[in-house]
Amino acid sequence: MPGQRVFLHSRTLPVRMVAPSLKLQDLIEEIRGAKTQAQEREVIQKECAHIRASFRDGDPVHRHRQLAKLLYVHMLGYPAHFGQMECLKLIASSRFTDKRVGYLGAMLLLDERHDAHLLITNSIKNDLSQGIQPVQGLALCTLSTMGSAEMCRDLAPEVEKLLLQPSPYVRKKAILTAVHMIRKVPELSSVFLPPCVHLLHERHHGKAVGLPILCFSSVDRRIENRMGTPAHRRRVAHTHRHTRNRLSCPWPPPFTSPTLTPGILLGTITLITELCERSPAALKHFRKVVPQLVQILRTLVTTGYSTEHSISGVSDPFLQVQILRLLRILGRNHEESSETMNDLLAQVATNTDTSRNAGNAVLFETVLTIMDIHSAAGLRVLAVNILGRFLLNSDRNIRYVALTSLLRLVQSDHSAVQRHRPTVVDCLQETDASLSRRALELSLALVNSSNVRAMMQELQAFLESCPPDLRADCASGILLAAERFAPTKRWHIDTILHVLTTAGTHVRDDAVANLTQLIGGAQELHAYSVRRLYNALAEDISQQPLVQVAAWCIGEYGDLLLEGNCEEIEPLQVDEEEVLALLEKVLQSHMSLPATRGYALTALMKLSTRLQGDNNRIRQVVSIYRSCLDVELQQRAVEYDTLFRKYDHMRAAILEKMPLVERDGPQADEEAKQSKEAAQLSEAAPAPTESQASQLLDLLDLLDRASGDAQHPPPLDPSPGGALVYLLDLPCAPPPPAPIPDLKVFEREGVQLNLSFIRPPENPALLLITITATNSSEGDVTNFICQAAVPKSLQLQLQAPSGNTVPARGGLPITQLFRILNPNKAPLRLKLRLTYNHFHQSVQEIFEVNNLPVESWQ
Amino acid sequence: MLEESREELMRFMLLFSRQGKLRLQKWYLATSDKERKKMVRELMQVVLARKPKMCSFLEWRDLKVVYKRYASLYFCCAIEGQDNELITLELIHRYVELLDKYFGSVCELDIIFNFEKAYFILDEFLMGGDVQDTSKKSVLKAIEQADLLQEEDESPRSVLEEMGLA
């Protein structure tokens, strides 16, 4: 292996006898030499067996080595719980080597969940009081890493003692251990508060600063009174007794060396920070030292520290950051403190060297502090500008923190952040997705009514090229911003259209509904919208939301599409066949989702009332889909087909254009449409073809005279309203209770005529007859006209037929609806006259319909 | 009362190789062994999937992760809340400098074969996730003293003693 180390005790020794244990490094080598996972496991299991045996035998000499090996395999993921007790033994040993490994083991293998962890409390206590600095260091480190709440309570007095040790090495460690203890047991704040103040009072380089030394006992009592449960109070009182006793000694205790090393200052600031976060009393207390903190930081920044404590030319950035953090906590929600630090913050913000990360780290912390306290407006702008400069930094990490911070500030300091909008937009081009995502979020947050056009342009350009996982957010962000700030409806429609074209598959489900509602509500833009959507659809039928909206639009406003003139768009020459073909293409495409096909089918159906030509093509499509495997489509097709055949009189009314919907109102769904349609049906009653009816009266006269069976007409029922009222009552689909059987009334050379009857239950006087002409012959039937006559006492209305051609071999039938009002329930008699061309011959047939079922008039 | 969660706390530091082998794990918040393993596995996957041109910060679970690759080793810190990621980068760099000074041009093998030393150095530099001393000199001096104490402690052994025969 290249770079392999050669160790002093390599295995040139004779064969292992009586199991002398492997050295740690030898074991590591052996493990690394294993070629497979299985081999590694074997080596380790074998060694662990040795280790376990060694532990059992209680070999004190090699114990530290055995544990070290165990810790190594533990890091590889193997179990090491059987080493826990060995940690205790090693810690208790007097040899430093043992303690070193033992404490390490304790930190790695023991945690507060194990009962064993409490057992090291005593050892720690002993080690803390022994006075050997490295040992004290180990003990403190272990306590601060894995000390449980119980251990912290037990050992607080010891740690407190060490805060006053002359040795700066131990003191600084004790201070940071106190930080951990307060985290675990917040009540211990009261123990560590007094020494903190004192530590801060000490000044390095022997300079003394006059600071009133507080009366600690009163501070204690105040804090004590805030204690919670009696159990808490007892426990704290216990430690307090300890403290109070010592308070009777002169305070501060005499020191041999008053110098405060930087390490201690750093630790002290950290401890004070922790105290202020945990205890409102401490917070209030330390607000008094804000001036002193300001002075310390100012000195640090201006006259500088030793080079030993500088990083990249910045004086002790760790200390600067820590002080800034503390100032943040003290200045938060406190005007006076905030004011005291304003100047200093401005000074740090402007004087810090920004060429390296260390300086930028300090600058960043300054910005965080400025934004969190009550700073002057100018200072806040300065902070935002620093972040703006960060955005231009070549270091990606700095741009990241800038974007994150600006995101947090964009609401509270909107105008200040707006100034950096161009830079933010540039960041959309970041190659790192976490940066571009933040840039996107920030850009969207910066959109307002004055910059919306420019911003949307940028964002739409971004949408076209952005990474796929940002597409959805970008699309929905654009749509939302468009909704809030659209300068004109047309711009809004254009924007949505563009989003649907670019990222159609990534938009949210309600985008379709929103767009249809938007278009529906903008009457002046119907022509424009339908044209644009038609063009878009003609180009690409794969983007489902777009296709759905386009289909809906074409269905609704197909008439406008064919009109051919709209000022805002290039003139478009589209003929009906093209439109129908496009919709059929959508219907048939395998790319279309079932919902999309539903839209297309409905659109086709609507066009049957919008277009001028005959509806044969549409009827054909509808008919085909009656047997579609998709149940939803099948149902629609069946219903639409029925609409053609039996309810043709209602078709135009039902397929009317949707009324303009309030943007904020409920979505116009089918039910609303129906109810609104119903209100409009009064205008939509189809004009009866009266001319035909009058022609046949002569025939009827003949009938009447011939039969002589005319019954005496019973008194007239006062019919409620007129035809219009009945239409309103008519349900769309449900069949009458007892369906009257169909009747075949005519057949000639494959041409057949059937009658079907409907008596709407709400209106007993009304009879609806639908005639259906079918053609099973080899020749087409053309120019088909059907006329009818009924007795005088009945009223007849003929509706327009669906067409006048029945193609050969079972081609699409012709249907026509007769409406007969028979208020007197006179016996129904019906005479029909048919004329058509078939096999190049003119055919005329006149006949009376026999066997009319009595249900049709009784 | 102020919020329970501390503003800044380093949860843990991990060192691992590009092949996903753990070289050091220091946990500053009590976590069970099982939970640790899970988190380590997950985080390693996330970090190893990062491309070289990406920034050193990422969000994972409810934490911020600051990582930097030095040669074949990833140094990874998980910090909380409103932390200053930039200073954490400095912290990581400081640690690497300390290792470098101690081992003399440190490489991954040094950390593998002397993992306990890597821990000792870390424990002299950070305590509870907080920086003890900004001075490299100070930290290295402390390690030196501890090493000396260890050497003095270990009285010279004979080869036979080593083999367990005396």
Side-chain angles (χ1 to χ4, degrees):
Chain A
M1 270 185 306
Q4 184 183 9
R5 305 254 158 150
V6 177
F7 301 108
L8 287 174
H9 305 281
S10 62
R11 270 173 284 160
T12 51
L13 287 168
V15 173
R16 287 166 74 165
M17 294 148 55
V18 198
S21 52
L22 269 183
K23 292 204 119 189
L24 169 65
Q25 301 195 328
D26 292 345
L27 172 64
I28 296 176
E29 222 185 295
E30 207 178 319
I31 291 174
R32 285 171 62 77
K35 304 264 191 310
T36 65
Q37 186 78 324
Q39 216 175 354
E40 177 187 286
R41 219 174 315 151
E42 207 188 301
V43 168
I44 289 177
Q45 273 169 3
K46 199 168 81 181
E47 187 58 32
C48 281
H50 282 300
I51 294 175
R52 240 191 282 242
S54 165
F55 285 162
R56 262 200 315 271
D57 296 341
D59 171 9
V61 171
H62 298 109
R63 190 177 283 137
H64 74 273
R65 178 198 291 174
Q66 306 295 46
L67 186 64
K69 285 187 282 182
L70 191 58
L71 292 178
Y72 183 79
V73 306
H74 176 249
M75 189 152 60
L76 294 179
Y78 294 87
H81 48 273
F82 54 89
Q84 282 169 10
M85 296 309 284
E86 306 306 308
C87 297
L88 299 173
K89 293 183 194 155
L90 284 166
I91 291 170
S93 154
S94 53
R95 288 173 59 203
F96 185 68
T97 311
D98 286 348
K99 282 189 193 289
R100 235 185 171 186
V101 180
Y103 274 121
L104 179 62
M107 286 189 275
L108 289 175
L109 300 181
L110 291 175
D111 69 49
E112 47 193 59
R113 283 153 231 262
H114 305 113
D115 295 329
H117 86 278
L118 285 171
L119 299 171
I120 64 174
T121 311
N122 247 357
S123 297
I124 293 183
K125 197 181 284 201
N126 289 338
D127 284 341
L128 286 179
S129 49
Q130 258 182 23
I132 303 171
Q133 290 187 19
V135 173
Q136 288 173 311
L138 288 177
L140 286 169
C141 180
T142 305
L143 181 52
S144 88
T145 303
M146 49 76 71
S148 64
E150 273 206 61
M151 284 169 71
C152 290
R153 273 191 211 102
D154 284 342
L155 295 164
E158 271 67 34
V159 174
E160 196 200 341
K161 250 190 279 186
L162 293 175
L163 288 178
L164 314 166
Q165 276 255 304
S167 148
Y169 174 80
V170 176
R171 257 202 295 171
K172 93 180 166 196
K173 286 186 189 283
I175 292 170
L176 287 177
T177 308
V179 173
H180 170 83
M181 291 175 128
I182 293 173
R183 278 181 205 151
K184 279 300 207 190
V185 187
E187 297 89 65
L188 289 173
S189 305
S190 57
V191 172
F192 294 111
L193 185 78
C196 244
V197 182
H198 175 75
L199 285 165
L200 197 58
H201 171 65
E202 271 189 87
R203 297 297 286 130
H204 57 98
H205 301 317
K207 287 192 206 134
V209 169
L211 232 206
I213 296 172
L214 302 170
C215 174
F216 295 118
S217 49
S218 61
V219 169
D220 278 344
R221 209 162 289 130
R222 271 205 307 269
I223 290 170
E224 192 186 317
N225 287 338
R226 280 187 176 67
M227 288 297 119
T229 66
H232 272 166
R233 264 185 243 127
R234 268 199 301 275
R235 231 175 292 152
V236 172
H238 168 76
T239 55
H240 261 206
R241 239 175 277 128
H242 195 80
T243 315
R244 240 179 273 130
N245 287 340
R246 291 189 15 260
L247 277 179
S248 58
C249 305
W251 189 270
F255 279 91
T256 51
S257 135
T259 54
L260 184 66
T261 67
I264 295 191
L265 185 55
L266 179 55
T268 307
I269 303 286
T270 311
L271 180 54
I272 295 177
T273 310
E274 189 67 34
L275 281 168
C276 291
E277 279 177 314
R278 300 274 161 188
S279 148
L283 182 62
K284 196 165 150 201
H285 180 95
F286 282 106
R287 283 212 174 105
K288 300 191 187 83
V289 306
V290 167
Q292 190 183 5
L293 291 169
V294 166
Q295 184 54 42
I296 293 174
L297 187 51
R298 183 169 282 136
T299 314
L300 196 50
V301 170
T302 50
T303 63
Y305 241 113
S306 57
T307 45
E308 196 182 316
H309 293 87
S310 303
I311 299 183
S312 310
V314 177
S315 301
D316 206 335
F318 294 116
L319 180 57
Q320 287 199 47
V321 164
Q322 199 62 51
I323 296 177
L324 285 164
R325 236 175 241 173
L326 178 55
L327 287 175
R328 176 153 83 243
I329 292 169
L330 296 174
R332 209 185 265 158
N333 297 325
H334 197 254
E335 285 247 19
E336 199 190 312
S337 303
S338 301
E339 241 172 278
T340 318
M341 32 177 116
N342 261 302
D343 282 345
L344 168 72
L345 291 172
Q347 189 178 8
V348 176
T350 39
N351 288 342
T352 306
D353 173 23
T354 56
S355 54
R356 305 288 295 278
N357 184 59
N360 285 319
V362 172
L363 207 51
F364 183 47
E365 194 71 35
T366 313
V367 167
L368 291 178
T369 299
I370 292 174
M371 300 320 289
D372 221 9
I373 63 173
H374 276 242
S375 18
L379 198 55
R380 285 184 85 90
V381 173
L382 175 63
V384 173
N385 288 346
I386 290 175
L387 292 176
R389 269 208 317 275
F390 272 4
L391 280 182
L392 298 164
N393 197 304
S394 52
D395 185 342
R396 195 172 297 122
N397 294 328
I398 301 209
R399 297 202 295 273
Y400 176 95
V401 302
L403 284 170
T404 313
S405 306
L406 285 170
L407 254 173
R408 273 187 281 180
L409 298 175
V410 72
Q411 301 304 331
S412 54
D413 297 78
H414 193 86
S415 43
V417 180
Q418 274 287 355
R419 260 177 246 143
H420 302 277
R421 190 165 48 84
T423 325
V424 172
V425 170
D426 283 340
C427 289
L428 285 171
Q429 308 307 322
E430 293 278 357
T431 42
D432 182 342
S434 59
L435 268 80
S436 53
R437 175 181 292 281
R438 279 170 177 75
L440 175 63
E441 256 187 83
L442 191 52
S443 301
L444 286 169
L446 287 174
V447 177
N448 62 25
S449 40
S450 41
N451 62 31
V452 64
R453 282 187 197 259
M455 283 299 276
M456 281 299 132
Q457 226 170 341
E458 299 277 358
L459 288 167
Q460 284 180 327
F462 177 61
L463 183 62
E464 282 170 21
S465 58
C466 76
D469 52 345
L470 286 180
R471 282 254 165 113
D473 290 329
C474 188
S476 57
I478 292 177
L479 292 177
L480 252 145
E483 197 167 308
R484 284 180 68 195
F485 300 112
T488 63
K489 276 199 179 157
R490 178 176 151 179
W491 180 93
H492 195 176
I493 290 173
D494 283 342
T495 305
I496 302 184
L497 208 57
H498 182 261
V499 171
L500 289 183
T501 328
T502 323
T505 40
H506 294 269
V507 296
R508 284 194 352 234
D509 294 337
D510 59 358
V512 173
N514 284 342
L515 183 54
T516 55
Q517 204 173 28
L518 178 63
I519 294 176
Q523 188 174 21
E524 68 281 11
L525 291 168
H526 285 171
Y528 173 77
S529 307
V530 72
R531 275 186 180 76
R532 286 221 52 200
L533 282 163
Y534 179 81
N535 284 339
L537 187 63
E539 248 178 79
D540 176 14
I541 63 167
S542 64
Q543 302 263 31
Q544 296 303 292
L546 179 66
V547 174
Q548 288 175 6
V549 178
W552 177 86
C553 213
I554 293 172
E556 276 295 299
Y557 311 119
D559 49 333
L560 298 175
L561 181 60
L562 298 163
E563 262 167 33
N565 51 335
C566 170
E567 306 89 44
E568 292 158 24
I569 220 177
E570 277 170 30
L572 177 67
Q573 275 306 106
V574 176
D575 65 52
E576 288 183 11
E577 292 301 311
E578 282 179 325
V579 177
L580 294 178
L582 186 57
L583 286 175
E584 283 171 25
K585 188 172 160 197
V586 170
L587 196 51
Q588 289 153 14
S589 167
H590 66 279
M591 289 188 284
S592 298
L593 295 172
T596 310
R597 296 169 81 195
Y599 271 95
L601 190 61
T602 304
L604 274 170
M605 193 58 193
K606 287 186 196 169
L607 286 177
S608 72
T609 59
R610 313 274 198 268
L611 303 183
Q612 308 296 333
D614 69 34
N615 290 329
N616 276 343
R617 187 167 176 171
I618 297 174
R619 291 197 60 178
Q620 200 144 23
V621 174
V622 166
S623 183
I624 290 169
Y625 275 83
R626 281 165 52 211
S627 43
C628 175
L629 286 175
D630 180 311
V631 177
E632 166 73 30
L633 274 182
Q634 189 193 103
Q635 181 171 2
R636 281 189 196 222
V638 167
E639 287 176 3
Y640 293 154
D641 188 62
T642 311
L643 198 57
F644 271 124
R645 286 200 286 121
K646 290 192 186 172
Y647 297 98
D648 212 42
H649 62 290
M650 298 199 295
R651 184 165 50 89
I654 287 174
L655 298 173
E656 265 263 316
K657 275 196 194 168
M658 290 203 2
L660 298 186
V661 184
E662 285 300 313
R663 280 261 35 220
D664 294 318
Q667 301 261 345
D669 54 19
E670 286 304 314
E671 279 76 49
K673 184 178 162 188
Q674 295 289 5
S675 60
K676 291 229 172 186
E677 297 273 284
Q680 291 178 356
L681 281 176
S682 43
E683 276 84 53
T689 49
E690 280 167 340
S691 49
Q692 284 183 325
S694 55
Q695 271 181 9
L696 296 171
L697 280 174
D698 306 323
L699 287 167
L700 286 171
D701 285 343
L702 279 166
L703 265 177
D704 278 347
R705 279 200 290 277
S707 63
D709 285 338
Q711 284 176 350
H712 208 65
L716 280 169
D717 281 329
S719 51
L724 310 173
V725 177
Y726 303 143
L727 271 173
L728 274 174
D729 293 338
L730 273 179
C732 279
I740 305 171
D742 286 359
L743 189 65
K744 178 170 136 185
V745 300
F746 171 81
E747 160 118 51
R748 177 183 158 148
E749 289 174 322
V751 181
Q752 200 175 312
L753 195 71
N754 270 15
L755 299 186
S756 58
F757 305 90
I758 292 180
R759 295 278 306 269
E762 306 81 20
N763 189 359
L766 182 62
L767 169 68
L768 301 171
I769 300 180
T770 305
I771 66 156
T772 308
T774 53
N775 178 9
S776 58
S777 73
E778 294 297 311
D780 293 340
V781 164
T782 55
N783 299 99
F784 182 92
I785 294 177
C786 174
Q787 292 166 318
V790 292
K792 272 210 201 94
S793 52
L794 283 69
Q795 271 183 49
L796 172 66
Q797 269 179 10
L798 295 176
Q799 301 235 343
S802 65
N804 35 36
T805 303
V806 189
R809 295 193 214 101
L812 198 67
I814 293 171
T815 58
Q816 189 171 12
L817 186 68
F818 300 165
R819 290 187 67 246
I820 295 171
L821 270 173
N822 186 2
N824 303 330
K825 292 203 174 26
L828 178 66
R829 290 172 69 185
L830 186 65
K831 201 161 187 176
L832 295 176
R833 178 169 177 261
L834 306 176
T835 57
Y836 58 90
N837 290 344
H838 192 205
F839 294 127
H840 309 293
Q841 286 178 334
S842 284
V843 176
Q844 184 186 259
E845 296 271 353
I846 301 179
F847 56 91
E848 182 170 348
V849 177
N850 298 319
N851 308 322
L852 282 169
V854 290
E855 300 93 330
S856 62
W857 52 271
Q858 270 183 346
Chain B
M1 187 58 201
L2 297 166
E3 280 174 357
E4 267 311 309
S5 70
R6 166 119 151 91
E7 271 213 342
E8 320 86 25
L9 167 67
M10 187 183 299
R11 284 266 191 107
F12 58 81
M13 182 188 285
L14 301 177
L15 264 69
F16 52 88
S17 73
R18 300 230 291 140
Q19 284 73 40
K21 288 263 184 204
L22 193 61
R23 298 301 179 205
L24 184 146
Q25 53 172 336
K26 188 78 188 179
W27 294 78
Y28 293 110
L29 192 75
T31 324
S32 73
D33 221 25
K34 189 164 150 214
E35 188 61 30
R36 286 184 196 189
K37 279 198 180 148
K38 190 157 158 237
M39 290 170 89
V40 168
R41 204 177 27 236
E42 235 183 81
L43 185 56
M44 283 210 287
Q45 250 182 344
V46 172
V47 172
L48 289 172
R50 300 274 286 183
K51 303 195 195 69
K53 287 290 184 182
M54 298 178 102
C55 70
S56 294
F57 313 130
L58 60 96
E59 276 162 20
W60 174 77
R61 297 196 180 193
D62 59 335
L63 301 170
K64 291 193 204 195
V65 172
V66 179
Y67 74 94
K68 196 157 162 136
R69 198 181 124 209
Y70 290 86
S72 57
L73 266 185
Y74 282 90
F75 286 69
C76 205
C77 287
I79 55 181
E80 283 197 45
Q82 300 239 343
D83 266 346
N84 183 336
E85 295 98 323
L86 298 178
I87 201 71
T88 310
L89 265 181
E90 284 304 317
L91 186 152
I92 290 177
H93 192 73
R94 206 58 221 246
Y95 180 46
V96 174
E97 282 180 331
L98 287 167
L99 290 170
D100 194 58
K101 205 64 198 279
Y102 182 83
F103 287 109
S105 296
V106 68
C107 64
E108 190 187 342
L109 278 177
D110 291 316
I111 310 227
I112 295 171
F113 283 94
N114 302 281
F115 74 96
E116 74 281 24
K117 294 285 169 62
Y119 275 106
F120 297 152
I121 295 171
L122 184 61
D123 287 341
E124 277 304 326
F125 176 48
L126 298 181
M127 191 178 277
D130 297 308
V131 174
Q132 290 179 46
D133 209 318
T134 313
S135 159
K136 261 192 291 193
K137 206 160 89 177
S138 179
V139 173
L140 288 168
K141 187 151 154 249
I143 298 279
E144 213 180 283
Q145 286 184 339
D147 283 349
L148 263 171
L149 195 56
Q150 187 167 346
E151 272 173 37
E152 284 168 15
D153 214 41
E154 287 168 352
S155 37
R157 293 175 196 278
S158 65
V159 167
L160 289 173
E161 242 185 356
E162 270 296 330
M163 290 169 62
L165 294 177

